[in-house]
Amino acid sequence: KGKYIQVQRAFRNGRITKVSVRGSGFTGNETLSILSLQGQVIYSSRLVNGEAKINLTNNSVGIFVINIFNENGLAESSLFRKY
């Protein structure tokens, strides 16, 4: 069974306000980071039961990188667009 990241977006007035990130195939010792394409860390926390809910209301539009790290380094990575 492979690892993957699922991203669900919540909209308000046509804009993304919240993102729910679910990881599958992880052990529970992972850290999630969201970075801008310039490498600035927008958000970072531990996954709880393979999931994180992130409020992006105060972040500008753009393309972001979601990284999930475990004790061995980068476990999975994905891109998403906030508009």
Side-chain angles (χ1 to χ4, degrees), residues 11-74:
F11 294 87
R12 177 178 282 164
N13 298 326
R15 296 194 161 246
I16 294 174
T17 57
K18 295 180 183 176
V19 174
S20 177
V21 177
R22 283 194 177 109
S24 179
F26 298 107
T27 63
N29 295 321
E30 291 81 20
T31 301
L32 170 109
S33 295
I34 297 180
L35 294 90
S36 68
L37 289 182
Q38 293 76 30
Q40 178 186 8
V41 176
I42 304 296
Y43 176 86
S44 182
S45 78
R46 309 259 321 144
L47 287 181
V48 176
N49 296 323
E51 184 173 311
K53 295 184 185 207
I54 304 114
N55 185 335
L56 296 174
T57 303
N58 295 325
N59 294 95
S60 60
V61 298
I63 298 173
F64 297 91
V65 179
I66 298 172
N67 290 326
I68 296 180
F69 294 91
N70 63 19
E71 59 276 356
N72 298 319
L74 183 64

